[in-house]
Structures are given as C-alpha cells and as structure tokens.
Amino acid sequence: MSIKEYRTAIEARGGLLVVKDTAGIAFGDRVQIKDHAGNTRNGQVIRSADNEVLILVFEGTDDLDLENTWVRFLDEPVEIALSPEILGREFNGLGEPRDGRPPVLSNIRRPVGGSAINPAARTYPREFIQTGISTIDGLNSLVRGQKLPIFSGSGLPHNRLAAQIGRQAKLVDQESSFSVVFAAMGVSYADAKFFRDEFASSGVLRNVVMFINLADDPPVERLTLPRTALTAAEYLAYDLDRHVLVILTDMTNYAEALREVATAKGDVPARKGYPGYLYSDLAEIYERCGRIHQRHGSITMMPVVSMPSDDITHPIPDLTGYITEGQIVLSRELHNQGIYPPVHISPSLSRLMKDGIGKDDTREDHPRVAGQIYALYARAQETRNLASIIGADELSERDRRYLTFADAFDERFVGQGESEDRSIEATLNLAWELMSMFPRDMLTRVKETDLAKYYQGTD
C-alpha cells in the first residue's frame, strides 16, 4: 500500500474537494482529510486526472481551511469490517458504529462497491416469501431474490409498512425468519427511533443490522450508505448462508443527494435536474440482490421510493420501475379513509409472482384466486366511477353487489392490523369469503374444482 499525502487543496464546494499537483491517484481510492482543527474526515476519489483529483467528502466540506488541510490518499478502496457480530448493531453510512459500542473487529474487510456477480452464476428468483400482509402475499407475491419497491408519498405510512415486513417476513417451509439489513437515508430522528423501537420490541433486533443517516447528517454520506448496507447483506447471504431482506428507505433522499453532488461536479443535468446516469447508478444498487448457483443464501430487496407530488412518472419511481420486478403502490385515498396498509392493488404488480405461487409453493388455487380478485375489483372500480356520476340508487342489483364487494375488500382484505401477521392460508380463505358474495357463474377465472372445495356462497 502506497500512502500519499498532500496539502494542495485548492477548492471546496458542496461536499467536494479539489486537490492539485497529484500523480498516480486511482479512481475510487479512500481518502482521509485532516482539517485545521485536527479533525479527520473521510472521502473517496470520484474523478482523477493527471495532476488534479476530485474527492467526495462524506462528512461535508464546511469550515475547511484549504491552506491548512492535509489530504492523505490511502491507496485502497472504501471498505467495512464484517463479522457475524454486525447483527443487532447500528452503523452510519461508512460502517462506523452509531450505537455507542466498539467498532467491529474482524480480519474480513470488503469494499463497499461490492464484487461483480457473473451473470451466468445467477439463478432465477423463486420460493414464496410470506410477509403476513394480504395485499402483498395474495396479489403481489414476493419471491426470494426479487427486488420489489414500495412506491409511496409524503405522509403515507411506508415506514410502518416497511417495519412490519421486516418483522414478519419468512419462508413458509422454514422456521427461521429472514435476517434484515435496514438502510435509512435522510430520515428524521423520530423515524429512526421508530424503527429501532419496532425491531427491539418485536424481538427481531438480534437478526437486524441497521445503517442510519439522519436528516441532519451530511447528505453526501447517503451516496455510500446503500452500498455499505448491501456489502453487509452480501456477507450475510453468501458467507453465512442466510436469507437476507434488504429494506432501503428512502431512495428519493438518495437521488436528491446524487443530484446535489452531480450539480457541484458540473455534470450535465437531465430530467428535473437529475444527472443522466441516474438510471445506471440506481441499477448499480438494485442489481446487487438476487440468488447465486450453489449458494444457500439470497438477497431480497424492498426499496421505498417517495414519489414527489405523488407523481409515479417522476424520474426516481419511473427509473426504479424499469430496473425492478414490479411495485407496491400506496394510495392516499385509502389512507384518508383510515385503511392500513393503504395498498392500491390496481397499479401494484409483482412480475415474478407466478414463479413463487401455486401447488408446490402456496396453494393450488392461488394464481386463479389472484386473477379473479383483480377482475372483480377492476369491475368494482368502474362501478364506483359510474355511481359517482348517476348515483348508487340508479345502479342495477349486480352493480350494487360490486360496490358492496369493493367496500368489503378495502375494509377487510386490504385493511389489517399493524401487528396482524396473516398466513397465506388465511389470506386465500378471506379472498374466497369475499368472492363468495357473487354467484358461481360470475367467478369465471377459477376452476370448478376450486369452487367445489372453497366456495362459501349459498348459490
């Protein structure tokens, strides 16, 4: 390792530091900056030229006296120490403890950029994950190795939903629950405390490792935090053979920090001021989940994306939707009606659902029940729109039945308690109870054998 030290910083702006008269400095090198007060800051080289480098300073560049700033290039990537003892711990975006306990001591150190996974070594995501939430398990099923984001909005209970999924997620045929890597970027102190208390009170904290960046912490640190968290997830999954659920909240705060740094760098802006490489940058994070041949462990990811102004076409949810395998969309209308979790099933989707449900995974009628529920609810939504125009009294008896179904579906199937952990059997039985509000001849997407076994109506 060749350590080089300079006192030639010439400019500091927006978390970036420019150092001149440098030679042989590699892109991605880890940097230590000692300021005039003797405090040490951490950074990483993000642009390297023949005689000048650009450094991303994770703690920010506020109050730096450039003439009295020493910059040390460590000739190594940004790394974190890893051991089984990271479970139950809380760290910042650089892997440094936030819980008042000593640093992790281990001879295993991994770069936060991760190792490239050979595409040929990947195996297809399969095996149903039970979250205990009917709208996900029954209609938008999550499978092991999938990346399924939650699209939310300001003021919606995405944090409560993410915490509930973290507490309840498990494989149906195995007793052990998931290890959870929880990464929070730009969250308030109250939100961080909520997650901490939720995991502790439910007894799952021993299986959780938390990476937290608060709203008043340096925004630049948010750029490395998800990569640090995923490095820990890769260690747990591929070294310790654990099934890992990664929850990233909120990716909008990450993208805002990326835009801030890109603007300071002088990168050409694209849609809404975000850099043109936002897509590839998000893909670099999202694609680190999955399964690998001949490895027992896996990484399943649920990133939370707050849609500015509830706009699903905004660049962040839009690009996230291209990369990931579906989305869970939260509805402000359902939330205003007091329904939790306010999952809007119409725009929600799990593209890998078909590979994790059915006879050998959940129950033989599951695919057909999901299709029938979607068909009934879509027709019920059309009927609601019609009723808002002509009035419910003018509807036919069949249309009024659809309205009754829609109200019962929102109240009983979508709505459930924050601590209610429904099994997939309970979810499917509830679906049949609601579908049985209709005559048999209206349930055209299920088989006669399904009707004979599960139909609860009098018809």
Side-chain angles (χ1 to χ4, degrees):
M1 185 171 70
S2 174
I3 296 177
K4 300 176 182 178
E5 196 164 341
Y6 298 88
R7 203 175 77 173
T8 54
I10 58 172
E11 187 180 358
R13 63 177 186 274
L16 301 177
L17 184 66
V18 181
V19 182
K20 67 173 184 177
D21 299 332
T22 56
I25 305 300
F27 175 84
D29 269 3
R30 181 172 162 233
V31 181
Q32 285 184 343
I33 300 106
K34 180 175 281 190
D35 60 25
H36 62 283
N39 299 318
T40 300
R41 311 186 193 193
N42 298 284
Q44 185 177 23
V45 176
I46 59 171
R47 185 181 294 162
S48 181
D50 291 337
N51 62 348
E52 186 177 281
V53 297
L54 184 63
I55 301 167
L56 183 67
V57 184
F58 298 124
E59 291 86 355
T61 55
D62 294 345
D63 304 322
L64 275 185
D65 179 358
L66 297 181
E67 292 185 359
N68 295 301
T69 296
W70 286 91
V71 182
R72 175 178 292 183
F73 297 92
L74 302 181
D75 195 29
E76 64 182 18
V78 177
E79 296 177 325
I80 59 168
L82 295 166
S83 81
E85 281 69 39
I86 63 174
L87 289 169
R89 298 291 307 273
E90 182 179 327
F91 304 94
N92 66 10
L94 301 177
E96 298 169 343
R98 289 186 64 107
D99 52 12
R101 295 161 62 185
V104 174
L105 298 178
S106 174
N107 57 4
I108 300 176
R109 297 186 65 85
R110 301 275 168 81
V112 300
S115 302
I117 299 176
N118 183 345
R122 288 184 179 268
T123 187
Y124 197 79
R126 295 188 189 278
E127 296 183 40
F128 172 77
I129 296 171
Q130 181 174 293
T131 66
I133 297 166
S134 291
T135 45
I136 297 177
D137 294 346
L139 303 176
N140 301 284
S141 304
L142 177 67
V143 300
R144 188 161 66 91
Q146 184 178 4
K147 41 193 180 290
L148 184 65
I150 298 172
F151 287 177
S152 184
S154 177
L156 297 182
H158 47 267
N159 286 337
R160 290 161 56 196
L161 179 59
Q164 185 174 359
I165 292 170
R167 291 195 314 266
Q168 298 178 175
K170 56 181 172 289
L171 293 173
V172 175
D173 58 349
Q174 297 185 19
E175 290 297 321
S176 61
S177 61
F178 273 68
S179 293
V180 176
V181 174
F182 179 79
M185 294 155 279
V187 298
S188 67
Y189 177 83
D191 285 341
K193 185 177 185 302
F194 165 77
F195 284 112
R196 201 178 294 121
D197 293 345
E198 280 289 301
F199 293 138
S201 63
S202 60
V204 301
L205 188 59
R206 65 183 182 277
N207 283 324
V208 178
V209 54
M210 301 177 69
F211 294 87
I212 304 290
N213 170 271
L214 297 177
D216 58 351
D217 287 336
V220 173
E221 187 185 289
R222 293 166 202 164
L223 298 184
T224 192
L225 188 143
R227 294 172 171 83
T228 304
L230 283 163
T231 302
E234 288 167 350
Y235 168 75
L236 294 172
Y238 306 134
D239 288 50
L240 303 185
D241 288 335
R242 290 175 174 265
H243 299 307
V244 182
L245 175 64
V246 179
I247 298 173
L248 304 175
T249 182
D250 180 337
M251 290 305 295
T252 299
N253 292 336
Y254 170 85
E256 295 286 352
L258 184 69
R259 178 168 66 176
E260 183 178 321
V261 170
T263 301
K265 283 166 61 180
D267 293 337
V268 176
R271 291 169 58 192
K272 294 190 181 294
Y274 293 95
Y277 50 80
L278 176 62
Y279 177 90
S280 58
D281 194 279
L282 291 174
E284 186 181 304
I285 295 171
Y286 295 146
E287 295 294 351
R288 287 176 68 174
C289 80
R291 301 171 61 193
I292 296 179
H293 282 298
Q294 300 178 341
R295 298 287 182 94
H296 176 71
S298 62
I299 299 176
T300 306
M301 185 185 296
M302 295 197 79
V304 175
V305 178
S306 289
M307 301 179 292
S309 304
D310 293 349
D311 180 11
I312 201 169
T313 66
H314 187 278
I316 305 168
D318 187 36
L319 296 178
T320 294
Y322 281 120
I323 302 164
T324 55
E325 292 122 5
Q327 67 273 339
I328 305 297
V329 182
L330 302 191
S331 162
R332 193 170 299 280
E333 182 180 353
L334 290 174
H335 178 62
N336 292 339
Q337 294 172 18
I339 294 173
Y340 172 88
V343 176
H344 190 7
I345 69 163
S346 298
S348 296
L349 167 71
S350 173
R351 295 188 180 97
L352 303 184
M353 176 176 173
K354 64 184 186 302
D355 302 301
I357 63 171
K359 182 177 180 181
D360 298 325
D361 296 291
T362 53
R363 207 168 75 179
E364 76 282 355
D365 61 322
H366 189 170
R368 297 181 291 278
V369 168
Q372 185 67 72
I373 285 285
Y374 265 113
L376 293 174
Y377 195 72
R379 175 65 186 275
Q381 290 291 78
E382 293 176 1
T383 306
R384 277 177 168 171
N385 292 336
L386 179 62
S388 68
I389 298 171
I390 67 172
D393 293 339
E394 300 298 321
L395 296 177
S396 66
E397 182 181 345
R398 172 174 286 204
D399 284 342
R400 283 197 293 270
R401 184 171 294 187
Y402 277 111
L403 281 185
T404 304
F405 165 78
D407 293 339
F409 179 83
D410 288 343
E411 189 69 30
R412 299 180 56 201
F413 192 91
V414 177
Q416 64 182 89
E418 200 167 335
S419 58
E420 185 179 356
D421 187 358
R422 289 181 187 164
S423 67
I424 184 60
E425 282 283 335
T427 289
L428 293 174
N429 290 340
L430 177 57
W432 272 106
E433 186 179 336
L434 293 168
M435 291 193 303
S436 297
M437 297 169 64
F438 295 92
R440 285 171 178 262
D441 60 358
M442 292 180 64
L443 304 180
T444 58
R445 295 176 180 265
V446 293
K447 294 182 176 179
E448 284 297 327
T449 53
D450 298 332
L451 290 166
K453 189 172 183 180
Y454 300 109
Y455 185 73
Q456 301 172 28
T458 56
D459 181 7

